[in-house]
Amino acid sequence: MKLPASGRAAGKVILLGEHVVVYARPALAAGLARGLEVRVQRGEGPLELETDVPALAADARPVALVREAAGALGIAADGLRVVVRSDLPAGAGLGSSAALSVAVLRALAAAAGRHLVLADELALGRRLEAIFHGNPSGIDPAAAVLGGCFRFTRGEPPMVTPLRVSRPLPLVVAFSGRGRSTGAVVAGLRARWEGDRAVYERRFDEVAGLVAEGAAAVESGDVAGLGRAFDENQRLLEALGVSAPEVESLVATARSAGAFGAKLTGGGGGGAIIAVAPEPERVALALRKTGAQTMVALIGASEEEAA
Ligand code: PMV
C-alpha cells in the first residue's frame, strides 16, 4: 500500500430534472469548484474515520462506505485511518454523499496503486452512494467524477453528454441551513407515483421537455431562457410534492431580487436552491439577509468564486 494517499471529488448542482432522473428522464447537472477531499493514512487497529463534517461524524454510513469501497478494490479497511475534509454543506442537495463516495474510491485506489477507469468510477460511485439513499440515479457520482456541465440519463451504463456552455452561467446557490434526507424525499415520491402513475408520468414528461429547453438555452447562451426553465421546473417540483416552504421562500426572495428564475436543487424537502441572475451578487445579498448561506458560481467559466 502507498500511504498516505488522497482523492478529491467535486460537489454538484442539478440545474434541471432532479427526481425525474430517477425515472429515466434526462437531467442537467454541473460540477462545482467546491468539493471534498479524502486522505488515507496508516492507522492502528480497526478502521478509523475522522471528519470536519459534523453530520458525517455522527453517522455510521461513511465507515460502511469506506469498508465497501475497500472490499470492491480488494484491500483491507482495518489498519487505515481516513480523514475527510469538505467544503460542501452536508444534506443541502449539493452532492456531498456522492463526492464522498468518489473521493474515497480515488484515495483508496491511489493507496492500492490502481487506476480506476471512468466507467468503474461511475459504477462504483453509484453503488457506494446507494448506502446513503436507496435508488440513486447516478447523476451525483457522474458530477463528482466529471465536473463540467452535462446532460445525464440513468442506465447501465448511463448516458452522459457534456454541454458546450457558450456563455458562463451566473448561478447563486443558497442553503437555508436545514439539512434533510434525500432518501426520504425520493421514497415519498415513489409512494405517490405508485398511487397514481399516469399523473406522475405526465409530470415527469413535462420536466423532460424543460430539460431539453434548458439544454438548448445553456448551449445558445440564453441565460434568461434558462431562468424561465428553472421557474417552470420549480412549479412541477411543487406538484410532485418534493418542495418545502423554506425552499419556496428562498426562491421568492431570489426572484424579487432580480433573478431570471429560481428552483430547489437536489433532493428537495428543504436543502438548497439555485437561481440564475444577471446580478448574482445582488441576489446572494438578498438571500443572506434572510439568514441563508450563499455561494456564487460561474458555471462554465474556468474558476468559480465562493461568496
Ligand atoms: O440531494 P442530492 O444532492 O443527493 O441529489 C439527489 C438527486 C435526486 O434526483 C433527487 C436523486 C437521484 O438519485 O438522482
Side-chain angles (χ1 to χ4, degrees):
M1 293 268 268
K2 296 180 184 163
L3 294 172
S6 62
R8 194 175 190 286
K12 67 95 195 40
V13 281
I14 296 184
L15 299 176
L16 293 163
E18 51 277 275
H19 284 288
V20 307
V21 70
V22 173
Y23 298 83
R25 291 344 185 257
L28 299 188
L32 292 172
R34 288 198 192 197
L36 184 148
E37 168 118 20
V38 168
R39 207 173 148 77
V40 184
Q41 305 163 347
R42 213 171 292 285
E44 285 163 25
L47 168 66
E48 294 169 79
L49 189 129
E50 187 211 304
T51 172
D52 63 348
V53 186
L56 291 182
D59 190 332
R61 293 173 300 179
V63 170
L65 184 152
V66 175
R67 287 198 181 280
E68 181 147 346
L73 294 169
I75 57 180
D78 289 325
L80 295 179
R81 176 178 167 75
V82 174
V83 181
V84 180
R85 296 277 176 257
S86 177
D87 44 27
L88 294 169
L94 301 183
S96 60
S97 48
L100 176 68
S101 304
V102 172
V104 162
L105 274 176
R106 287 179 168 167
L108 291 176
R114 283 186 49 187
H115 174 71
L116 291 175
V117 297
L118 184 65
D120 287 343
E121 281 194 337
L122 289 177
L124 284 170
R126 179 163 170 257
R127 181 171 132 196
L128 296 178
E129 200 204 357
I131 294 174
F132 283 87
H133 66 99
N135 178 26
S137 64
I139 192 169
D140 286 18
V145 166
L146 301 168
C149 186
F150 60 92
R151 183 186 5 237
F152 176 97
T153 310
R154 80 180 294 173
E156 302 288 346
M159 219 161 75
V160 184
T161 319
L163 292 188
R164 196 176 29 80
V165 183
S166 59
R167 197 165 130 205
L169 307 171
L171 212 70
V172 184
V173 184
F175 176 46
S176 65
R178 188 175 76 93
R180 81 288 168 273
S181 151
T182 294
V185 184
V186 169
L189 175 57
R190 178 150 300 259
R192 291 189 290 283
W193 170 75
E194 272 163 4
D196 195 344
R197 289 192 188 206
V199 163
Y200 280 85
E201 288 288 330
R202 240 188 345 265
R203 289 178 183 152
F204 296 167
D205 287 339
E206 276 187 69
V207 178
L210 291 174
V211 169
E213 286 171 24
V218 167
E219 294 206 306
S220 67
D222 178 8
V223 181
L226 182 65
R228 285 193 294 278
F230 277 14
D231 283 348
E232 283 298 300
N233 195 169
Q234 174 61 26
R235 185 181 59 75
L236 285 160
L237 286 159
E238 288 170 21
L240 294 175
V242 298
S243 187
E246 73 255 41
V247 162
E248 284 152 33
S249 126
L250 291 175
V251 161
T253 302
R255 287 177 187 154
S256 20
F260 287 131
K263 61 182 276 294
L264 68 81
T265 186
I273 67 141
I274 50 172
V276 60
E279 293 178 71
E281 293 298 350
R282 197 172 133 206
V283 173
L285 182 64
L287 288 161
R288 278 200 298 280
K289 280 190 182 151
T290 73
Q293 299 163 38
T294 65
M295 188 172 117
V296 171
L298 211 48
I299 301 293
S302 47
E303 266 306 298
E304 291 157 22
E305 317 146 37

